[in-house]
Amino acid sequence: MIDIVAPNLEDLYIGSFSRDLDVTNNTSSKSINHLKLSAVAVNDQWLESIFSNLPNLEICHFVSCLSLRIMKISSYRLKLLEIVTCCNLIAVDLDTPNVLTFSSDIHLYEGGRVSACDVMPTFKLKASLLPEAKFRLTPNVSLYSWDTMSTDKQIDATRWYSKLTKYLGYFNHSSAIALSCSRDEFTYRDDDDEDEKPCCASLPWKCWRHELKKVTKNILEGTDQISKLPEPILDHILSFIAIKEAAKTSTLSKVWNSAWISLSCLDFGDNYLHKSKNIVDQILANRLNQKISIKRFKFPEATYAAKSLNVLSLRGFKLELPSNRVKFYSLRELHLDDSFLDEQLLQALCAICSDLEILSFKRFHGLIRLQVAGNLPKLRTVKLQFCPPKFKMVDIVAPNIKDIYISSFGLDLHVIEITACKSLKRLKLNAVAVNEQ
Amino acid sequence: MASSSSSSKTGLKKMLTLKSSDGDEFELEESIVIQCQTIKHMVEDGFSLIPLQNVDTKTLTKIIEYMKKHAEKTESNKEEIKNFNKEFVKGSFDDQFELVSAANYLHINGLMDLLCQSIADRINNKSVRAVREIFNISNDYTPDEEEKVRDEHKWAHEGGEFDESLD
């Protein structure tokens, strides 16, 4: 139960999951201008009464209010009324001379399907014109399978159409009707029935067909489901694709181009961009301009300022990071494969990246000694794979380290100091010259 | 609001009911369902009947199948889970898009990764034409616009041969 007394309250939005939430008459909240109820158990009487109790109410949204059956509204102030999935509604009866927009969804189910939303309510607007009626068509086609569609589809289409036209017939007075549909099942022909049926010749008003001002459809042909996915999902998909392939998707369509332009997970791990620094710079500059924060990055250069970088994974590069400009404060994993490393750089990097948890070098060169001097409290794993012959010494002081794995190419990697690593659980040495002590 | 939900400390298996947009109800153990962040938060808020208005019965059935299997995950059945995942993403694209939207809405991270990886695999190394065909992507560029975008990303189209197959 919700009972609010607030004389200056203007916006009230109540969204419920349980559908039995009761809203009491809040007659003291006279200023309410905007009311949105979602899945709230209000009844017809309550609805009728609020408009006399709330003189400033102009905008109303009712979503999934299943207990509403007859909506009777009398109000001089009401400007916008939206009804969505109020499935048990059988009549909408308005005496609202100043209403500008009525908006609702139209459920179109395939044949034979019994649904609570199968009946569209009748609509009556008393002695005034409705400037704009907006409808969102939601044909429930998700249960279609391609095998059964061919024969039943025609029947369904007829059913949908007669239901749709019947409902739209209530809006013959409207100055503009806008239909929208996010499914490709909906096709609209502009010149529909123009010659065959002079549908409103004998009527004192024009029928809805002539008032149909805007038909929006998200999909034009085929079942382009993938492009309808929200951009974060497209971003997620593209994050699994190497940069060159991801860039190529920009040519698919506008949606994909925009997903590419704002792609936040850049995987340069495809060994492609050895010589193409300009392209990398351009890709990064584009994202900088759009203020898109890079979530994941695989590439060395020009990334100095990626403060939120968590994983740095590089392959085939000579690392020349200017350590005074590197800002990888959040770096947790550092993977360097086939890379030229030098000791100073690693020391500097370790000093900056104090949250480092995983340190993994594979087939590196240039490094003679690896020293971790106790300044990485979170370090869990050190992996040194295929250490080069010149690599001579490992010295690790890390209180919380759990795993150390070292494998060598030359059999003479002989000095390993692992001190103050009290949490060490697994130690694996492969082709490493250790002695008994 | 129902706040009398029993604490998990009692050791009893707490059951939750998920309700699809078609109105079908599924009763599941809480331990299975909390893989889903969205529901987990609702459970923490004391709900035990959870209506999922964006998820239809067909999709919800698949998601429950996934959550049940992944709730059994241990060190020893990794291979089994791997095979399950492989089978799981085999469905038609239409089904997968319903699933990926639902997984996103429900915040099931593992399932999101699985589905997105599987879609990515179908895009990777394919020609633009093939990708359009596979996913029915409607090209809304004018020829001039398309030429311009292609030109801007010349480097991505260069070199290598792209797979024209549609699987």
Side-chain angles (χ1 to χ4, degrees), chain A residues 1 16-19 21 38-39 63-64 85 109 113 140 142-144 146 183 218-227 229-230 232-233 236-238 240-245 247-258 260-261 272-273 279 282-283, chain B residues 1 19 22 42 47 49-51 53 56 58 92-95 97-98 100-101 104-105 109 112-117 119-121 123-129 131-132 135-142 145-146 149-150 152-153 155-160 162:
Chain A
M1 198 232 246
S16 160
F17 281 110
S18 51
R19 289 218 171 105
L21 179 70
S38 180
V63 183
S64 297
T85 57
Y109 287 101
R113 234 178 104 70
N140 188 343
S142 63
L143 294 176
Y144 268 133
W146 288 103
R183 297 275 193 172
N218 296 359
I219 305 307
L220 294 170
E221 55 193 31
T223 47
D224 187 358
Q225 300 264 61
I226 194 167
S227 304
L229 293 174
I233 303 186
H236 201 139
I237 293 170
L238 289 178
F240 290 104
I241 301 177
I243 199 77
K244 192 180 164 211
E245 287 295 306
K248 217 172 70 187
T249 64
S250 63
T251 312
L252 290 170
S253 72
K254 288 175 183 168
V255 171
W256 286 87
N257 189 34
S258 109
W260 152 250
I261 288 171
Y272 168 74
L273 295 170
I279 291 167
Q282 194 196 328
I283 290 170
Chain B
M1 208 172 287
K19 192 170 171 184
D22 305 308
M42 286 173 70
F47 289 97
L49 171 66
I50 295 163
Q53 289 171 27
D56 62 23
K58 191 182 174 192
S92 79
F93 299 126
D94 282 4
D95 295 343
F97 298 133
E98 295 285 339
V100 80
S101 306
N104 183 54
Y105 164 68
N109 296 337
M112 259 323 259
D113 283 347
L114 177 66
L115 292 165
C116 288
Q117 174 78 65
I119 295 169
D121 290 346
I123 296 174
N124 217 359
N125 283 319
K126 291 268 162 58
S127 72
V128 169
R129 197 193 60 80
V131 177
R132 277 200 193 123
F135 294 99
N136 263 318
I137 293 169
S138 34
N139 176 11
D140 54 356
Y141 286 123
T142 65
E145 284 171 340
E146 185 177 340
V149 176
R150 193 179 281 268
E152 281 167 9
H153 301 93
W155 56 273
H157 296 275
E158 278 167 359
F162 298 116

Side-chain angles (χ1 to χ4, degrees), chain A residues 9-11 31-35 56-60 77:
Chain A
L9 184 70
E10 289 183 4
D11 277 23
S31 307
I32 291 182
N33 172 266
H34 187 170
L35 176 70
N56 290 308
L57 198 53
E58 290 185 346
I59 300 167
C60 282
R77 291 295 292 268

Side-chain angles (χ1 to χ4, degrees), chain A residues 310-326:
Chain A
N310 282 335
V311 179
L312 181 62
S313 177
L314 305 174
R315 183 172 173 181
F317 289 101
K318 181 173 175 182
L319 267 182
E320 288 181 333
L321 296 177
S323 54
N324 55 340
R325 274 154 60 199
V326 171

